[in-house]
Amino acid sequence: MDYYPIFVDLRAKPCLVVGGGSVALRKTKALLSAHATVTVVAPDLEPELSHLAEQGLVTHLAHPFSDDLVLGKFLVIAATDRLEVNTSVYQTATKQGCLVNSVDDPKRSNFITPAIVDRSPIVIAISSGGSAPVLARRIRAKLETELPKRLGQLANLAQKYRQRVKKIFSNISARRKFWEMTLTGPVADAMFRGDSPEATRLLEQSLTSPQKPANGTVGLVGAGPGDKGLLTLRGFQWLQTADVILYDRLVSNEVLELARRDADLVFVGKKPGCHQVTQEQIIEKLINWARQGKKVCRLKGGDPFVFGRGGEELEALQQAQIQYEVVPGITAAVGAAAYSGIPLTHRDHASSVRFVTAHCKKSLDCLDWNALAKEKQTLVFYMGVAKLETLQKELIRHGLTATTPIAFVENATRQEQRVATGTLGTLFSTAERYKIVSPSVLVVGEVAKLGNQLAWFGVKAGNTIDWQAATGT
Ligand code: SAH
């Protein structure tokens, strides 16, 4: 090991920053966040540093560096853009036995600063020993996405209970087991969703009645339309930590592959018209697993609250007194619009957008066709492929012209995405001609024609339908 990693207590320690530019500012702020007493020496300061000096948060010495300034300093940072100044700072400081770092110059440093993931009091420091800082930063970015924001609060809670837990579990392995369960189970889940009182209550409960395991939590998580890059960070964290994942037919394989290796993956897909697992059975499974103390992820295509029956599942969980959390996802209409280059609103063409379900006969009957056939709006139909004739007939009967542009986006955001554009008049024939299949959304409105012009995804890969043929242009 070229460098020995340590965490240093800088509270009230005298530190010196040489330089007054943006690098000096960055370093000064880092030292201040560790409660150091900072002196900055530089003839001039950049505005934010000078503001810190005016507020009395740092001492500013408005003159060039001189050797005497190092005396009595615990740590020194050379942050000027002049090599000779940094060299002289380094030489003087090492002579005095100070810790000294010249920014981005390991040769003139006796310590280097790592890339940091700060979830205080949990702090992770990453270093490549100066060999590849970019690599260290990439590792940091990865950890930043994977570690929950409130990890530090969980650590603080554990700190508060340390002594008590020690008294209750005098045996060290029992104590370790207790903490392992607590810091990965429902207590952690409650803290991560921002409910610190509940986290405390659950911790108390597991101390007072340790034999009864607390209920697990259910996450109703939106998986987005397919492209794994569209999953939210929170959704990703759920996939990485859930014990059981119940997923729908519309969840893509690439999203599922992000699940923790040892999670149980349970398919509860429902195909239109042939319901293998009923909604009641899904709800029952969610509740049973949660009651066994498991962390259960209910993973749904798109967004769980958009035509996803998410509301019903939450009502049942609430009745069963199971804690839950909802993680939004990118809904099919939004994903399809972005990946086909069809803006849902546009100053010239549409000032509002409606997401409509064309699921079954009954739902078509209750649609307000007059409202749907208004101009200057965009309609996006979900689950509509089987009902095109009715859609076409009703929209035209209620006032939309047969020349209104339309676009089908099939398998939106996935590698196999296809887009077919046409007009309301050719709606049915366009779908037939290109054999549009589920899952697809149908966009109706002036904006649909922009797909021809603004397409970017899949075009080069040859996945898009031949535009000329599709539009008849
Ligand atoms: N909750 C989901 C919608 C579920 S309803 C969401 O927010 O997206 C199922 C319908 O969504 C499908 O019939 C189809 O119309 C649409 N859909 C879902 N994923 C899609 C995709 N990748 N491409 C096109 N349409 C999709």
Side-chain angles (χ1 to χ4, degrees):
M1 206 157 45
D2 291 333
Y3 291 89
Y4 181 65
I6 54 172
F7 288 91
V8 182
D9 179 7
L10 282 187
R11 208 169 284 268
K13 296 267 189 334
C15 298
L16 178 70
V17 175
V18 185
S22 58
V23 179
L25 170 69
R26 191 156 43 84
K27 296 294 169 184
T28 302
K29 279 167 129 177
L31 291 174
L32 286 177
S33 69
H35 311 284
T37 303
V38 183
T39 301
V40 181
V41 57
D44 299 300
L45 296 185
E46 66 87 63
E48 200 176 336
L49 258 180
S50 122
H51 187 57
L52 289 176
E54 277 158 25
Q55 287 175 298
L57 296 172
V58 301
T59 306
H60 177 212
L61 305 175
H63 50 72
F65 171 74
S66 56
D67 291 355
D68 56 306
L69 293 175
V70 166
L71 276 180
K73 295 294 185 301
F74 181 79
L75 183 148
V76 177
I77 292 189
T80 77
D81 51 7
R82 293 178 48 203
L83 186 64
E84 69 278 14
V85 177
N86 290 355
T87 307
S88 130
V89 173
Y90 169 67
Q91 285 167 349
T92 319
T94 34
K95 236 182 265 162
Q96 293 291 334
C98 299
L99 285 170
V100 55
N101 173 267
S102 303
V103 179
D104 289 336
D105 187 359
K107 280 205 190 99
R108 284 168 196 77
S109 305
N110 60 24
F111 78 94
I112 54 176
T113 50
I116 281 173
V117 181
D118 186 0
R119 300 283 191 279
S120 287
I122 306 270
V123 176
I124 300 167
I126 305 141
S127 163
S128 66
S131 61
V134 172
L135 201 58
R137 278 199 285 275
R138 287 198 56 171
I139 297 170
R140 175 181 61 181
K142 194 163 158 42
L143 290 172
E144 278 287 1
T145 59
E146 284 180 20
L147 296 177
K149 276 269 164 294
R150 298 190 179 91
L151 192 64
Q153 278 152 274
L154 184 64
N156 282 332
L157 181 68
Q159 165 76 29
K160 246 172 59 192
Y161 279 83
R162 245 178 101 125
Q163 288 312 323
R164 238 177 96 190
V165 172
K166 216 169 176 172
K167 267 195 208 135
I168 296 173
F169 302 94
S170 48
N171 172 319
I172 187 162
S173 82
R175 194 155 71 228
R176 187 173 303 143
K177 205 157 158 223
F178 171 82
W179 280 125
E180 262 165 21
M181 271 178 54
T182 311
L183 298 179
T184 55
V187 174
D189 290 337
M191 189 59 98
F192 295 160
R193 68 169 179 270
D195 193 347
S196 138
E198 175 68 3
T200 311
R201 192 191 69 74
L202 288 170
L203 183 53
E204 284 281 350
Q205 182 185 313
S206 54
L207 278 176
T208 46
S209 53
Q211 62 282 26
K212 183 181 167 282
N215 280 342
T217 315
V218 176
L220 195 57
V221 178
D227 181 347
K228 69 176 175 191
L230 298 179
L231 189 69
T232 61
L233 279 183
R234 194 84 193 103
F236 177 62
Q237 286 164 359
W238 263 93
L239 287 179
Q240 290 275 298
T241 52
D243 301 306
V244 193
I245 299 171
L246 288 91
Y247 66 98
D248 274 352
R249 186 175 57 90
L250 287 170
V251 175
S252 69
N253 286 336
E254 59 180 88
V255 167
L256 275 181
E257 278 163 16
L258 297 173
R260 206 178 83 187
R261 289 281 162 251
D262 51 353
D264 280 335
L265 295 180
V266 183
F267 176 67
V268 290
K270 290 174 277 179
K271 287 204 174 113
C274 76
H275 288 219
Q276 289 112 332
V277 189
T278 63
Q279 187 64 28
E280 291 68 33
Q281 284 166 332
I282 294 177
I283 288 176
E284 203 183 299
K285 282 178 198 288
L286 289 176
I287 293 175
N288 284 344
W289 270 311
R291 288 214 167 119
Q292 290 166 28
K294 296 211 156 86
K295 182 162 180 173
V296 188
C297 174
R298 173 72 175 106
L299 189 62
K300 284 168 178 282
D303 180 275
F305 277 0
V306 179
F307 308 131
R309 302 186 73 172
E312 292 164 46
E313 291 177 15
L314 289 197
E315 278 160 14
L317 291 171
Q318 193 180 44
Q319 256 188 3
Q321 299 192 321
I322 306 282
Q323 290 289 348
Y324 56 78
E325 175 181 328
V326 185
V327 182
I330 291 192
T331 188
V334 171
Y339 279 53
S340 62
I342 298 175
L344 292 175
T345 64
H346 189 289
R347 283 215 302 199
D348 299 334
H349 307 303
S351 53
S352 69
V353 54
R354 287 171 183 258
F355 297 166
V356 189
T357 169
H359 181 38
C360 58
K361 176 86 177 57
K362 217 166 101 208
S363 61
L364 280 187
D365 282 348
C366 27
L367 291 178
D368 179 353
W369 293 105
N370 280 321
L372 293 179
K374 291 230 163 68
E375 302 224 308
K376 292 261 176 202
Q377 69 176 349
T378 304
L379 309 175
V380 186
F381 288 95
Y382 287 61
M383 301 178 275
V385 184
K387 315 284 172 211
L388 296 177
E389 269 172 309
T390 319
L391 280 182
Q392 182 184 38
K393 200 178 77 203
E394 293 296 338
L395 287 174
I396 292 177
R397 194 158 73 91
H398 288 83
L400 276 189
T401 63
T403 55
T404 307
I406 60 107
F408 289 99
V409 188
E410 177 191 282
N411 276 308
T413 82
R414 303 172 182 210
Q415 276 316 309
E416 60 271 32
Q417 169 175 307
R418 297 197 304 156
V419 183
T421 51
T423 60
L424 195 52
T426 64
L427 181 72
F428 192 64
S429 56
T430 307
E432 281 240 307
R433 182 169 175 190
Y434 294 103
K435 303 195 173 19
I436 298 295
V437 294
S438 177
S440 298
V441 288
L442 166 65
V443 184
V444 179
E446 289 302 317
V447 290
K449 68 179 176 214
L450 292 171
N452 294 340
Q453 195 186 321
L454 304 176
W456 58 273
F457 177 75
V459 176
K460 291 193 192 85
N463 287 334
T464 3
I465 286 173
D466 171 357
W467 298 101
Q468 270 85 12
T471 55
T473 52

